[in-house]
Amino acid sequence: MDTTFTPEERVFRDEVRTWIKRYWTEELANRIADKSTFKEAQTELQKLLNDQGWMAPGWPEEYGGTGWSVTRRYIYNTEMARAGVLGPADPMVFGVSMVGPVIYTYGNEEQKKRFLPKILTSDEWWCQGYSEPGSGSDLASLKTKAELEGDHYVVNGAKIWTTYAHYADWIFCLVRTDSSGRKQEGISFLLIDMKTPGIKVNPIIGIDGRHTLNETEFNNVRVPKENLIGEQDKGWTYAKSLLTHERLYVANVSQSKRSLAELKKLAEREWAGGQPLAADPYFQQRISDIEIDLMALEFTELRVLSAAAAGKEPGAESSVLKLRGSEIAKALQDIKMDVAGYYAGIDDADNNANHSFANKTRIDFMYGRASSVYGGTNEIQKNIIAKAVLGF
Amino acid sequence: MDTTFTPEERVFRDEVRTWIKRYWTEELANRIADKSTFKEAQTELQKLLNDQGWMAPGWPEEYGGTGWSVTRRYIYNTEMARAGVLGPADPMVFGVSMVGPVIYTYGNEEQKKRFLPKILTSDEWWCQGYSEPGSGSDLASLKTKAELEGDHYVVNGAKIWTTYAHYADWIFCLVRTDSSGRKQEGISFLLIDMKTPGIKVNPIIGIDGRHTLNETEFNNVRVPKENLIGEQDKGWTYAKSLLTHERLYVANVSQSKRSLAELKKLAEREWAGGQPLAADPYFQQRISDIEIDLMALEFTELRVLSAAAAGKEPGAESSVLKLRGSEIAKALQDIKMDVAGYYAGIDDADNNANHSFANKTRIDFMYGRASSVYGGTNEIQKNIIAKAVLGF
Amino acid sequence: MDFSFSEEQSMLKDSVTRFVQDNYDFESRRTLAASDAGFSTEHWQTFAELGWLSIPFSEGFGGFGGGVVDSMVVMEELGKGLVLEPYLATVLLFGGLLQKSGNQVVQDAYIGSIIEGSLQGAFAFVERDSRFVLNAVRTRAEKSDGSYWINGEKTVVINGASADKIVVSARTSGNTHDEGGISLFVIDSKEAGVKISSYRMMDGQVVANISLDQVSVSTDHMLGEEGEALEVMQEVINDAMIAVSAEALGAMEKALQITVDYTKIREQFGVAIGSFQVLQHRMVDMFTAVQETRSLLYRAACSLEAGSDEAIKDLYALKVKVGRAGKLVGEEAMQLHGGMGMTDELDVGHYAKRLRMINTLFGDADFCQQRFAQLSYR
Amino acid sequence: MDFSFSEEQSMLKDSVTRFVQDNYDFESRRTLAASDAGFSTEHWQTFAELGWLSIPFSEGFGGFGGGVVDSMVVMEELGKGLVLEPYLATVLLFGGLLQKSGNQVVQDAYIGSIIEGSLQGAFAFVERDSRFVLNAVRTRAEKSDGSYWINGEKTVVINGASADKIVVSARTSGNTHDEGGISLFVIDSKEAGVKISSYRMMDGQVVANISLDQVSVSTDHMLGEEGEALEVMQEVINDAMIAVSAEALGAMEKALQITVDYTKIREQFGVAIGSFQVLQHRMVDMFTAVQETRSLLYRAACSLEAGSDEAIKDLYALKVKVGRAGKLVGEEAMQLHGGMGMTDELDVGHYAKRLRMINTLFGDADFCQQRFAQLSYR
């Protein structure tokens, strides 16, 4: 039992830190945060990562991955998240973490050649078409239809919560190609060019006031049948096998550690009754409740990673990562709102009464509410644990 | 909207307080607390109450009740509980609050004459035979059988959680007289003399280490058929109508207020790091969480009583009384355990290292765990609210 | 012991309920919230006609002579519709200060206009670093040449953008955290030296930062005695705490109702999601929180009206519960709506936002719990 | 990064697991708990034979030379069986103090006997009003005639009734709360002036109050330097905190398992109560609490063993979680057993009691959270 890094691992960590220090400038971060320069600047960042060979650490080396050990990937993710380079709402997630592995695992050679390089170079942005209006956590109830007519699938229906669809070049979709059997059957995995006629992207304004989500409609959208991944009607299997693929990092530990550190700093400068809020015992108790939970979560993640490094299947403890990860992230956002006090309500980036952090605090809080809903609500997560782990 | 008492009500309150001051001596309280003198001393107290005409405030005047208004009953209950004269585990509950109302509402004249006076004089103690081993919150699944043979019902089966059965002269039982229909049908309400041959009382030691509970077995117990209340097979209705009868006082507000006051006093004398625990902000926050909830509960109870005083049916708010009442009582017991610290673990009334309150604290805590189980678990309470109030 | 409303209060309640039902469907509210002022002057005239603007004022000024229970009745119903009109700022805060100040000059000058709906007011009591402490005042007023001259800055002034007249707290003596030395002045929003910079809050309110640069106020526009204003400020804010708690209660009730209705209809896995026991129990927890809030609201309102010794403690207990219950109900309502709850287009998230803002208003749950503890464990 | 046990540790774990399975069914435990000593000297000999009593001692004394991870492995398994034998008191506390004291005289005199199972020890560090503060020591030791003379009283001394030798903390200088001036002495339980008054705790442990009236100790029975004992006391208790946390983890795991099994079998309303979603989710919460406890246990054990700067902070975080999770798991386990959970005859309530006692031991969750906060927000 030992949690120290090897000397080689420490060298690697320094290498990552050096990269960050050099390339992750305030100027770049600001341009990414600004809606008007977001896509261009984010692409710039991703190209820098790709130049370094770090765009897709988890991919097999033959497709451009790194071949890192589990520990190195952990170090990489930790450092990147700690610095704020990677975040939970990263646009590269859809290409690198979601569709990429489907393509290299279930796609044919032409598909691999056609799509993987452009994911790495960020010349093509992806978005995800899984959820549908009304489907919620019952993903398999999807109704968007794809009918084969000659060389093309004709797609009709709508997808919802398509994050960044308004920036995306491609969308990967689960579509229904057969409705005769169980709902999990008859689903196919299609790659669709967003420029195809008949696709309409309708913005959904979030409760944070921003536009990151969309509803994407498909009206007789003709998709070449070579864009089908694997076999027709087997898409559910491909999508599902992917859900376990990235579940090692769903806890967002580093992001929450970053959030906690910021919170402590803010509490030192916010004034309450003649002393900094950070010195107030009530506040200390509230924040330490969460800090302790986060310390536990961090080691739960390490336990999972250590098992993975030893080539073992993730144990029961991995099931709590998303659940507790989202609860802790939300709790931190909640306290940060309280620290901002009156200023947390301000819906205005410029008029901030000297509390410039407040607007971002509000956005993070509001946007963060969804973390206990997407990817299966926390209630669904508990159902799954009850069944899979406790044996009910 | 007004919560002040009338001058007459204030006079009445003083009258109750004067009575308590005169009769509720430390000596009597100690004898009641002592297992070896409990029954005798408790009977003495009840006889004093009866001499004053206060034994059964809720009964109709013709049977020995007081004819008090809802407000007076509230004042009476509050003062008695505040002084510790009445408690949640009162033995008189079974006679006065439970079987008495069934007898005067559904019993015949002879039954009224036979049983009610001896409840008032405490010459006969009662216990309750509802739950059965295995029935839990699903009371209607009861299996104890009563078969009519000539002039007698022959009773076979077992009842569990029969509090004070080892002191009781009589038991009122729900028994199955017909198993052909729905489980709520075919249940009858029988009064059984505890001296009848075939009754065996087996002690159940509680997790508090004390003997208050029992399992009571019935082996061919012959009960005269004149001890049947109302009609055969209709007992469920009688028992159920009673459940709403006393639900105004299920919140145990006064007991919890008393418990809170004790807790505050203890926290002033317990020492923690150079100051009384009461001065510690963490402790203050914890205790104030509960104090605020209790303040809310008190006014929820008053809202229910005020509606009852105006002759209205209890509103939706009454449904939370038992639920929150037990949660708050338990939370207070929990904090008190923490105040007692190391001494809370002592299972010994004499060797208390100068912390004489600790043994009682432990007993109250352990015994109190059951308050979220008896009378329908808190989970069942929530099911009921969801159905009855929220309309699910 | 009686928690029923008087006949007048019941009528008042019904009239507000009807107004909200007829005028405040979610789409109409959205349009109003997006307008420049952030509310409707037409609605404001309706408020005047229905007599709501006269409630806290004495009959001598043409008012209704109402107490905290009356404004509580109004605010609960306004809360159900997330009503945007500045009833709190103009009538309860600005009006309340005038009513309690004993300054006949300003009372005669402005109360009539408030009642007839022609004057908007505000109370500027927050500063950059004051957080929830009323006596954390840096803004200063100095007397010279028969006037007071005010310098300083106030932040997040509710209704600050629309107010014609603004009551400003300023220090006429002492240091930032002293309890004495604070005075109140009624200034005109167009007075030289007043700079109003307005912006929106997440609940749709338009508020303002107000900077004051050598702003002149005549001595007859000071409310009460010089340096003695803290008590009246606290009194008015105590009444306002009842009011916003009632508003929060209304918002919670509505958020719960919306959620119960939604889960009965919304299907997943082939059944209404409201059939899941876990979700039912969570709605029971929301219901319980709402009941507790109402109980503490009645408790504090009764004891404040009766002038009880326990009134302030009751008030802080209420505000703690309003904060915690408001968070619980608001967030659970969103969560139980799933993804839809996190969109701007559904009403439910807006209830959560307003509840969050009310938690902060006049001191959040943590702050009020500390005040409560000081009173309870001193 | 590696959380697996060494081969030796795995063997150790297996041997304890087997012992508990074979010897600690609930009825056997009940009999032991009711006996005078409250544990079995026969079992104690087995412990000695299996080498468990030698774990924390250096190889020079015939020990195993183990660290906190080794005792953690043992204690988790003992926790599953609610094992009553005084491993904590004799081996980890008394033995730990001897091992770390550097006093060769007492080490030579007693460690061998501990290892062979012939000597019981205890550590008397609690006083009537000390609560969880190690330096709140009123008991005094004065030097005269070449001996120390001890006067004072110690309370709730674990294993105090069976201990042959007892380490007592006493003040050789300074005042009640001073950090300096505390010394440790090994006294014989039969020494003149030692009065031992024993009683039972709710978890079955037999403890004692010990009054000391002019008790004489020879100078070579002082551990370490005069007046400098606080650090070694804290070190030994830090190790012991890992141990009791591991014990708590074992107890929680068992309580959860018992509960899951029970709800799968127990029927109500015609179905197993484990089919109710609300109960399932509550068991998921218990499971989560257990996982969090294990994670913090590994965290604290690793950083204590590595001598990390964060070790003390990690340790307090662990003890906070042990307290809170222990309450949650214990109480939920009882509640989900319904009425049966509240009886003495079922095992589940006894897990809850032991968990409750472990919360208190060496500082409860509230106390540890304050210490944590002092380290985290200084």
Side-chain angles (χ1 to χ4, degrees), chain A residues 134 138 205 207 280 286 334 338-339 342-343 345 347 351 354 365 369 372 379, chain C residues 127-128 131 155 197 200 202 266 269 282 327 331 335 342 344 353 356 362 366 370:
Chain A
D138 185 10
I205 304 304
I207 198 70
D280 167 17
R286 249 184 100 185
D334 175 54
D338 285 346
V339 170
Y342 282 115
Y343 306 101
D347 193 355
N351 246 309
N354 209 23
F365 173 80
R369 295 308 91 184
S372 51
E379 294 75 42
Chain C
E127 300 191 356
R128 282 176 190 259
R131 212 167 162 84
T155 57
S197 159
R200 277 170 209 273
M202 64 176 173
R266 169 81 164 119
F269 303 103
R282 280 163 64 173
K327 280 186 182 183
E331 302 226 355
Q335 174 77 13
M342 281 66 173
D344 188 67
K353 286 184 182 183
R356 191 87 209 187
F362 310 128
D366 286 358
Q370 295 202 24

Short mmCIF file of all heavy atoms in Angstrom, two decimals, chain A residues 134 138 205 207 280 286 334 338-339 342-343 345 347 351 354 365 369 372 379, chain C residues 127-128 131 155 197 200 202 266 269 282 327 331 335 342 344 353 356 362 366 370:
data_model
loop_
_atom_site.label_atom_id
_atom_site.label_comp_id
_atom_site.label_asym_id
_atom_site.label_seq_id
_atom_site.Cartn_x
_atom_site.Cartn_y
_atom_site.Cartn_z
N GLY A 134 -38.27 13.93 -24.53
CA GLY A 134 -39.13 12.94 -23.88
C GLY A 134 -38.43 11.68 -23.44
O GLY A 134 -38.95 10.92 -22.63
N ASP A 138 -34.29 7.34 -19.93
CA ASP A 138 -34.69 6.11 -20.63
C ASP A 138 -34.25 6.20 -22.08
O ASP A 138 -35.06 6.28 -23.00
CB ASP A 138 -36.20 5.94 -20.51
CG ASP A 138 -36.68 4.62 -21.11
OD1 ASP A 138 -35.84 3.75 -21.44
OD2 ASP A 138 -37.90 4.47 -21.28
N ILE A 205 -31.79 27.85 -24.50
CA ILE A 205 -31.10 28.71 -23.55
C ILE A 205 -31.18 28.05 -22.18
O ILE A 205 -32.24 27.66 -21.71
CB ILE A 205 -31.75 30.12 -23.51
CG1 ILE A 205 -31.78 30.74 -24.91
CG2 ILE A 205 -31.00 31.02 -22.52
CD1 ILE A 205 -30.43 30.82 -25.59
N ILE A 207 -30.62 27.61 -17.99
CA ILE A 207 -31.04 28.42 -16.86
C ILE A 207 -29.89 29.33 -16.41
O ILE A 207 -30.09 30.27 -15.64
CB ILE A 207 -31.55 27.48 -15.72
CG1 ILE A 207 -32.39 28.24 -14.71
CG2 ILE A 207 -30.40 26.73 -15.06
CD1 ILE A 207 -33.70 28.70 -15.22
N ASP A 280 -14.74 32.43 9.83
CA ASP A 280 -16.00 32.18 10.51
C ASP A 280 -16.21 30.67 10.73
O ASP A 280 -16.18 29.89 9.79
CB ASP A 280 -17.11 32.78 9.63
CG ASP A 280 -18.48 32.33 10.03
OD1 ASP A 280 -18.65 31.83 11.15
OD2 ASP A 280 -19.41 32.49 9.21
N ARG A 286 -19.02 24.24 7.20
CA ARG A 286 -19.70 23.89 5.95
C ARG A 286 -18.71 23.46 4.89
O ARG A 286 -18.91 22.48 4.18
CB ARG A 286 -20.43 25.13 5.44
CG ARG A 286 -21.91 25.02 5.50
CD ARG A 286 -22.54 26.26 4.89
NE ARG A 286 -22.98 26.02 3.54
CZ ARG A 286 -23.47 26.97 2.75
NH1 ARG A 286 -23.57 28.21 3.18
NH2 ARG A 286 -23.87 26.68 1.53
N ASP A 334 -22.66 25.66 -4.69
CA ASP A 334 -23.66 26.23 -3.79
C ASP A 334 -23.00 27.15 -2.76
O ASP A 334 -23.43 28.28 -2.54
CB ASP A 334 -24.40 25.08 -3.08
CG ASP A 334 -25.37 25.58 -2.03
OD1 ASP A 334 -26.22 26.42 -2.37
OD2 ASP A 334 -25.27 25.14 -0.88
N ASP A 338 -23.12 31.37 -2.01
CA ASP A 338 -23.34 32.01 -0.72
C ASP A 338 -22.20 32.97 -0.36
O ASP A 338 -22.44 34.01 0.24
CB ASP A 338 -23.52 30.96 0.39
CG ASP A 338 -24.89 30.29 0.30
OD1 ASP A 338 -25.77 30.81 -0.43
OD2 ASP A 338 -25.09 29.26 0.96
N VAL A 339 -20.98 32.60 -0.75
CA VAL A 339 -19.86 33.50 -0.51
C VAL A 339 -20.06 34.80 -1.29
O VAL A 339 -19.83 35.90 -0.77
CB VAL A 339 -18.52 32.85 -0.91
CG1 VAL A 339 -17.39 33.87 -0.88
CG2 VAL A 339 -18.21 31.70 0.03
N TYR A 342 -24.97 38.94 -2.07
CA TYR A 342 -25.85 39.71 -2.96
C TYR A 342 -25.37 39.66 -4.41
O TYR A 342 -26.16 39.65 -5.34
CB TYR A 342 -25.88 41.17 -2.53
CG TYR A 342 -26.78 41.45 -1.34
CD1 TYR A 342 -26.26 41.90 -0.14
CD2 TYR A 342 -28.16 41.29 -1.44
CE1 TYR A 342 -27.08 42.17 0.95
CE2 TYR A 342 -28.99 41.56 -0.36
CZ TYR A 342 -28.45 42.00 0.84
OH TYR A 342 -29.27 42.26 1.90
N TYR A 343 -24.03 39.61 -4.57
CA TYR A 343 -23.47 39.73 -5.91
C TYR A 343 -23.66 38.47 -6.75
O TYR A 343 -23.53 38.49 -7.95
CB TYR A 343 -22.00 40.14 -5.80
CG TYR A 343 -21.88 41.39 -4.96
CD1 TYR A 343 -21.48 41.33 -3.63
CD2 TYR A 343 -22.28 42.62 -5.47
CE1 TYR A 343 -21.43 42.47 -2.84
CE2 TYR A 343 -22.24 43.76 -4.68
CZ TYR A 343 -21.83 43.69 -3.37
OH TYR A 343 -21.81 44.81 -2.59
N GLY A 345 -26.30 37.17 -7.44
CA GLY A 345 -27.50 37.29 -8.26
C GLY A 345 -27.29 38.07 -9.54
O GLY A 345 -28.15 38.08 -10.42
N ASP A 347 -26.67 39.25 -13.04
CA ASP A 347 -26.69 38.60 -14.35
C ASP A 347 -26.05 39.55 -15.36
O ASP A 347 -26.69 40.00 -16.30
CB ASP A 347 -28.15 38.30 -14.72
CG ASP A 347 -28.22 37.35 -15.90
OD1 ASP A 347 -27.16 37.01 -16.47
OD2 ASP A 347 -29.33 36.94 -16.24
N ASN A 351 -21.14 44.88 -14.87
CA ASN A 351 -21.55 45.63 -13.71
C ASN A 351 -21.47 44.75 -12.48
O ASN A 351 -22.45 44.17 -12.04
CB ASN A 351 -22.99 46.08 -13.90
CG ASN A 351 -23.07 47.58 -14.01
OD1 ASN A 351 -22.54 48.30 -13.18
ND2 ASN A 351 -23.71 48.03 -15.07
N ASN A 354 -17.39 45.38 -8.18
CA ASN A 354 -16.11 44.91 -7.64
C ASN A 354 -16.12 43.43 -7.25
O ASN A 354 -15.32 42.99 -6.45
CB ASN A 354 -15.70 45.76 -6.42
CG ASN A 354 -14.20 45.81 -6.27
OD1 ASN A 354 -13.47 45.59 -7.25
ND2 ASN A 354 -13.73 46.07 -5.07
N PHE A 365 -22.76 27.75 -11.14
CA PHE A 365 -23.79 27.17 -10.29
C PHE A 365 -24.98 26.68 -11.11
O PHE A 365 -25.40 25.53 -11.01
CB PHE A 365 -24.27 28.20 -9.27
CG PHE A 365 -25.44 27.75 -8.44
CD1 PHE A 365 -25.27 26.91 -7.36
CD2 PHE A 365 -26.73 28.17 -8.75
CE1 PHE A 365 -26.35 26.49 -6.59
CE2 PHE A 365 -27.82 27.75 -7.99
CZ PHE A 365 -27.63 26.91 -6.92
N ARG A 369 -26.05 22.65 -12.08
CA ARG A 369 -27.23 21.91 -11.60
C ARG A 369 -27.46 20.65 -12.43
O ARG A 369 -27.98 19.66 -11.95
CB ARG A 369 -28.50 22.77 -11.62
CG ARG A 369 -28.53 23.99 -10.68
CD ARG A 369 -28.22 23.66 -9.26
NE ARG A 369 -26.80 23.78 -8.99
CZ ARG A 369 -26.24 23.48 -7.82
NH1 ARG A 369 -26.98 23.05 -6.82
NH2 ARG A 369 -24.94 23.60 -7.64
N SER A 372 -26.18 16.47 -12.04
CA SER A 372 -26.87 15.31 -11.44
C SER A 372 -27.98 14.78 -12.33
O SER A 372 -28.77 13.95 -11.92
CB SER A 372 -27.41 15.69 -10.07
OG SER A 372 -28.16 16.88 -10.14
N GLU A 379 -30.61 9.54 -9.45
CA GLU A 379 -31.56 8.52 -9.01
C GLU A 379 -31.31 7.21 -9.79
O GLU A 379 -31.34 6.12 -9.22
CB GLU A 379 -33.01 8.99 -9.23
CG GLU A 379 -33.42 10.17 -8.36
CD GLU A 379 -32.82 11.50 -8.81
OE1 GLU A 379 -32.78 11.77 -10.03
OE2 GLU A 379 -32.34 12.25 -7.94
N GLU C 127 -23.46 48.05 0.73
CA GLU C 127 -22.24 48.60 0.15
C GLU C 127 -21.33 47.45 -0.28
O GLU C 127 -21.58 46.29 0.05
CB GLU C 127 -21.54 49.51 1.18
CG GLU C 127 -22.42 50.67 1.59
CD GLU C 127 -21.67 51.73 2.40
OE1 GLU C 127 -20.49 51.53 2.70
OE2 GLU C 127 -22.30 52.76 2.71
N ARG C 128 -20.28 47.81 -1.00
CA ARG C 128 -19.40 46.78 -1.57
C ARG C 128 -19.01 45.71 -0.57
O ARG C 128 -19.02 44.53 -0.86
CB ARG C 128 -18.12 47.42 -2.10
CG ARG C 128 -18.29 48.09 -3.43
CD ARG C 128 -17.00 48.79 -3.88
NE ARG C 128 -17.27 49.62 -5.05
CZ ARG C 128 -16.97 49.24 -6.30
NH1 ARG C 128 -16.39 48.08 -6.51
NH2 ARG C 128 -17.26 50.01 -7.31
N ARG C 131 -21.73 43.23 3.15
CA ARG C 131 -22.40 41.95 3.25
C ARG C 131 -23.77 42.16 3.92
O ARG C 131 -24.52 43.01 3.46
CB ARG C 131 -21.53 40.91 3.97
CG ARG C 131 -21.79 39.51 3.45
CD ARG C 131 -20.76 38.50 3.90
NE ARG C 131 -21.31 37.16 3.74
CZ ARG C 131 -21.30 36.47 2.62
NH1 ARG C 131 -20.71 36.95 1.54
NH2 ARG C 131 -21.86 35.26 2.55
N THR C 155 -24.54 49.60 -3.43
CA THR C 155 -24.61 48.58 -4.49
C THR C 155 -25.92 47.81 -4.41
O THR C 155 -26.65 47.90 -3.42
CB THR C 155 -23.43 47.58 -4.36
OG1 THR C 155 -23.46 46.99 -3.06
CG2 THR C 155 -22.09 48.27 -4.57
N SER C 197 -26.11 53.27 -12.02
CA SER C 197 -25.67 52.32 -13.03
C SER C 197 -26.47 51.04 -12.82
O SER C 197 -26.29 50.34 -11.83
CB SER C 197 -24.17 52.11 -12.80
OG SER C 197 -23.75 50.93 -13.37
N ARG C 200 -29.19 43.82 -14.33
CA ARG C 200 -30.22 42.85 -13.99
C ARG C 200 -29.71 41.77 -13.07
O ARG C 200 -28.57 41.36 -13.15
CB ARG C 200 -30.76 42.19 -15.26
CG ARG C 200 -31.82 43.01 -15.93
CD ARG C 200 -32.18 42.49 -17.31
NE ARG C 200 -32.63 43.63 -18.09
CZ ARG C 200 -33.89 44.06 -18.10
NH1 ARG C 200 -34.82 43.43 -17.41
NH2 ARG C 200 -34.22 45.11 -18.80
N MET C 202 -30.50 37.72 -11.63
CA MET C 202 -30.94 36.50 -12.30
C MET C 202 -32.43 36.22 -12.13
O MET C 202 -33.00 35.42 -12.85
CB MET C 202 -30.12 35.30 -11.82
CG MET C 202 -30.29 34.96 -10.36
SD MET C 202 -29.34 33.46 -9.97
CE MET C 202 -29.52 33.37 -8.21
N ARG C 266 -45.29 13.23 -16.75
CA ARG C 266 -44.06 12.86 -17.45
C ARG C 266 -43.80 11.36 -17.34
O ARG C 266 -43.66 10.82 -16.24
CB ARG C 266 -42.91 13.63 -16.81
CG ARG C 266 -41.53 13.17 -17.25
CD ARG C 266 -41.18 13.78 -18.57
NE ARG C 266 -39.76 13.67 -18.83
CZ ARG C 266 -39.26 13.00 -19.87
NH1 ARG C 266 -40.09 12.40 -20.72
NH2 ARG C 266 -37.96 12.96 -20.06
N PHE C 269 -39.58 5.02 -18.89
CA PHE C 269 -39.63 3.57 -18.72
C PHE C 269 -41.09 3.10 -18.71
O PHE C 269 -41.45 2.16 -17.98
CB PHE C 269 -38.93 3.15 -17.42
CG PHE C 269 -37.50 3.60 -17.35
CD1 PHE C 269 -37.14 4.69 -16.57
CD2 PHE C 269 -36.52 2.95 -18.09
CE1 PHE C 269 -35.82 5.11 -16.53
CE2 PHE C 269 -35.20 3.36 -18.04
CZ PHE C 269 -34.85 4.45 -17.25
N ARG C 282 -39.23 12.36 -2.01
CA ARG C 282 -38.55 13.65 -2.10
C ARG C 282 -39.56 14.78 -2.20
O ARG C 282 -39.34 15.86 -1.64
CB ARG C 282 -37.56 13.64 -3.25
CG ARG C 282 -36.29 12.92 -2.77
CD ARG C 282 -35.41 12.49 -3.85
NE ARG C 282 -34.89 13.61 -4.60
CZ ARG C 282 -33.97 13.48 -5.53
NH1 ARG C 282 -33.48 12.28 -5.80
NH2 ARG C 282 -33.53 14.52 -6.17
N LYS C 327 -33.78 26.63 -0.86
CA LYS C 327 -32.78 25.90 -1.66
C LYS C 327 -33.28 24.50 -1.97
O LYS C 327 -33.22 24.03 -3.11
CB LYS C 327 -31.46 25.77 -0.88
CG LYS C 327 -30.59 27.00 -0.92
CD LYS C 327 -29.24 26.68 -0.23
CE LYS C 327 -28.34 27.91 -0.19
NZ LYS C 327 -27.02 27.61 0.41
N GLU C 331 -34.17 23.50 -5.77
CA GLU C 331 -33.27 22.58 -6.47
C GLU C 331 -33.93 21.25 -6.75
O GLU C 331 -33.72 20.66 -7.81
CB GLU C 331 -32.00 22.37 -5.64
CG GLU C 331 -31.31 23.70 -5.39
CD GLU C 331 -29.83 23.64 -5.65
OE1 GLU C 331 -29.29 22.56 -5.93
OE2 GLU C 331 -29.22 24.71 -5.57
N GLN C 335 -34.40 19.43 -10.29
CA GLN C 335 -33.88 18.07 -10.49
C GLN C 335 -34.99 17.12 -10.96
O GLN C 335 -34.78 16.30 -11.85
CB GLN C 335 -33.25 17.57 -9.18
CG GLN C 335 -32.78 16.11 -9.19
CD GLN C 335 -31.47 15.89 -9.93
OE1 GLN C 335 -30.76 16.82 -10.26
NE2 GLN C 335 -31.16 14.63 -10.22
N MET C 342 -33.53 22.50 -16.27
CA MET C 342 -32.34 23.33 -16.37
C MET C 342 -32.40 24.30 -17.57
O MET C 342 -31.37 24.88 -17.93
CB MET C 342 -31.10 22.44 -16.50
CG MET C 342 -30.61 21.83 -15.19
SD MET C 342 -31.76 20.66 -14.45
CE MET C 342 -30.85 19.97 -13.09
N ASP C 344 -34.08 27.67 -19.64
CA ASP C 344 -34.68 28.97 -19.37
C ASP C 344 -36.16 28.98 -19.74
O ASP C 344 -36.92 29.79 -19.23
CB ASP C 344 -33.92 30.02 -20.20
CG ASP C 344 -34.34 31.43 -19.85
OD1 ASP C 344 -34.05 31.85 -18.72
OD2 ASP C 344 -34.96 32.10 -20.70
N LYS C 353 -34.41 30.35 -8.90
CA LYS C 353 -33.57 31.55 -8.87
C LYS C 353 -34.10 32.58 -7.88
O LYS C 353 -33.33 33.17 -7.12
CB LYS C 353 -33.52 32.18 -10.27
CG LYS C 353 -32.67 31.43 -11.26
CD LYS C 353 -32.63 32.24 -12.55
CE LYS C 353 -31.83 31.54 -13.62
NZ LYS C 353 -31.73 32.37 -14.84
N ARG C 356 -33.43 31.52 -4.38
CA ARG C 356 -32.02 31.72 -4.08
C ARG C 356 -31.74 33.18 -3.72
O ARG C 356 -30.97 33.48 -2.81
CB ARG C 356 -31.25 31.32 -5.35
CG ARG C 356 -29.79 31.21 -5.20
CD ARG C 356 -29.41 29.85 -4.73
NE ARG C 356 -28.20 29.97 -3.96
CZ ARG C 356 -27.49 28.95 -3.50
NH1 ARG C 356 -27.91 27.71 -3.71
NH2 ARG C 356 -26.41 29.15 -2.80
N PHE C 362 -31.31 40.45 2.89
CA PHE C 362 -31.29 40.85 4.32
C PHE C 362 -30.49 39.89 5.21
O PHE C 362 -30.61 39.96 6.43
CB PHE C 362 -32.70 41.01 4.88
CG PHE C 362 -33.62 41.85 4.05
CD1 PHE C 362 -34.87 41.38 3.66
CD2 PHE C 362 -33.24 43.14 3.65
CE1 PHE C 362 -35.72 42.16 2.89
CE2 PHE C 362 -34.09 43.93 2.88
CZ PHE C 362 -35.34 43.43 2.48
N ASP C 366 -27.05 31.17 6.81
CA ASP C 366 -25.90 31.05 7.73
C ASP C 366 -25.81 32.27 8.65
O ASP C 366 -25.61 32.14 9.85
CB ASP C 366 -24.58 30.94 6.94
CG ASP C 366 -24.43 29.57 6.29
OD1 ASP C 366 -25.32 28.73 6.47
OD2 ASP C 366 -23.43 29.37 5.59
N GLN C 370 -26.44 32.40 12.82
CA GLN C 370 -25.50 32.91 13.82
C GLN C 370 -26.18 33.92 14.73
O GLN C 370 -25.98 33.92 15.94
CB GLN C 370 -24.30 33.54 13.14
CG GLN C 370 -23.50 32.53 12.37
CD GLN C 370 -22.06 32.99 12.13
OE1 GLN C 370 -21.54 33.80 12.86
NE2 GLN C 370 -21.44 32.45 11.11
#
